[in-house]
Amino acid sequence: MFIFSWLNDQLLRMEWLHYLVTLLVRDVFGLDVNKQVGGSIHFFIYDVSKIFILLSVLIFTISYIQSFFSPERTRKALGNFAGIKANTMGALFGTVTPFCSCSSIPLFIGFTNAGLPIGITFSFLISSPLVDLASVILIASIFNWKIAIAYVLVGIFLAVIGGSIINNLKLEKYVEPFVYENKLIDADPEELTARDRIVFAREQVRDIVRKVWLFILIGVGIGAAIHNWIPESIISALLGQDKWYSVLLATLVGVPMYADIFGTLPIAEALVAKGVGLGTALSLMMAVTALSVPSLILLNQVVKVKLLAIFVGLVTLGIIIIGYTFNAFGHLLM
């Protein structure tokens, strides 16, 4: 138990990095980390460094593993299940395949064209950007493993329920006809050497970091401002746990935002530190991640407005319910 705790503190929370940044800010910059300016600079450097280190290592590892599982192989595996089991497998595949919400849309087209029920593809579409392994590790590094595991469970639950409802509503007619007309090449995945997989993983790190670096900097900057400059009284007045509308407000604010989970995590961290309910912070994070504007624009090209509205409505309602549940019982996880 001691070894696990030490590894968690040093590898995930990176207490060694926190100490080094403290020395940098205090001894090199000559600032007090307990004051607003010094505290903000410390928060920014520490969180940015930690997120980029963890993100690079995790994306490299996950991408190397992912190189063994092509989208076509995933489609074939999902085709072996039906009913609630199929939706569960779709959600689980979304969890272990780290596609962002935008890159999941082509897979949605491929899965639907291949004959999979749209409920399965929507379960995949919800879980893929919401509960990838990298985000889970980062949540554990910022909060703790209990919260990270609970986040995974509720994310998968939302994906399974959302996909199951869409499947039972028989909404196939609201998918654009061209989706069913595309033909897939049924070929075995290309055999890759170990060197090929390393190159692929390295390119994935580069590509993903290029896509998210700005959002990470913006998110950490906002988090530093919330943590050190905005009085707790103001945050509590808007999003305090005693405000019944806090989850609703956080979800509605998050839906139209264009950001990445890696950029919203520091904001959630700062909000919780200011006394905002865990469920409220997670609602904001989930809304931003699962319902980003670019992914909805792309999805609108392949499904009709009614199906898109049902999808958005179901996910939004699920996030709100999850938020209130975490606010009610989140203290058990802290």
Side-chain angles (χ1 to χ4, degrees), residues 66-128:
Q66 183 191 342
S67 67
F68 292 90
F69 300 94
S70 68
E72 177 64 14
R73 182 177 294 181
T74 301
R75 179 196 66 78
K76 289 181 179 179
L78 290 175
N80 295 325
F81 299 90
I84 195 70
K85 290 183 178 179
N87 289 104
T88 302
M89 292 305 301
L92 291 175
F93 268 112
T95 301
V96 298
T97 50
F99 302 110
C100 69
S101 56
C102 292
S103 61
S104 297
I105 304 300
L107 290 172
F108 170 87
I109 296 174
F111 290 170
T112 304
N113 173 251
L116 292 178
I118 62 170
I120 299 177
T121 60
F122 270 102
S123 289
F124 177 89
L125 193 65
I126 295 170
S127 69
S128 184

Side-chain angles (χ1 to χ4, degrees), residues 128-143:
S128 184
L130 194 65
V131 200
D132 68 83
L133 296 179
S135 65
V136 173
I137 299 296
L138 285 173
I139 290 172
S141 72
I142 289 176
F143 296 110

Side-chain angles (χ1 to χ4, degrees), residues 6-7 33 49 52 77-78 96 100 122 200 203 213 236 275 277 293 316-317:
W6 183 86
L7 290 174
V33 296
S49 301
F52 275 119
L78 290 175
V96 298
C100 69
F122 270 102
F200 169 75
E203 290 176 349
W213 71 267
S236 297
V293 170
T316 302
L317 179 61

Side-chain angles (χ1 to χ4, degrees), residues 255-271:
V255 167
M257 289 176 64
Y258 178 31
D260 191 274
I261 188 170
F262 307 114
T264 55
L265 268 170
I267 299 176
E269 176 189 15
L271 289 173

Side-chain angles (χ1 to χ4, degrees), residues 274-330:
K274 286 290 184 177
V276 173
L278 178 62
T280 302
L282 291 181
S283 292
L284 174 66
M285 191 171 69
M286 295 178 82
V288 170
T289 306
L291 299 171
S292 67
V293 170
S295 69
L296 295 182
I297 293 174
L298 287 175
L299 186 58
N300 191 42
Q301 305 304 308
V302 298
V303 302
K304 297 178 181 178
V305 174
K306 183 173 182 178
L307 178 52
L308 180 67
I310 291 174
F311 167 72
V312 172
L314 284 173
V315 176
T316 302
L317 179 61
I319 291 173
I320 291 172
I321 294 174
I322 289 170
Y324 280 114
T325 301
F326 266 94
N327 273 353
F329 302 102

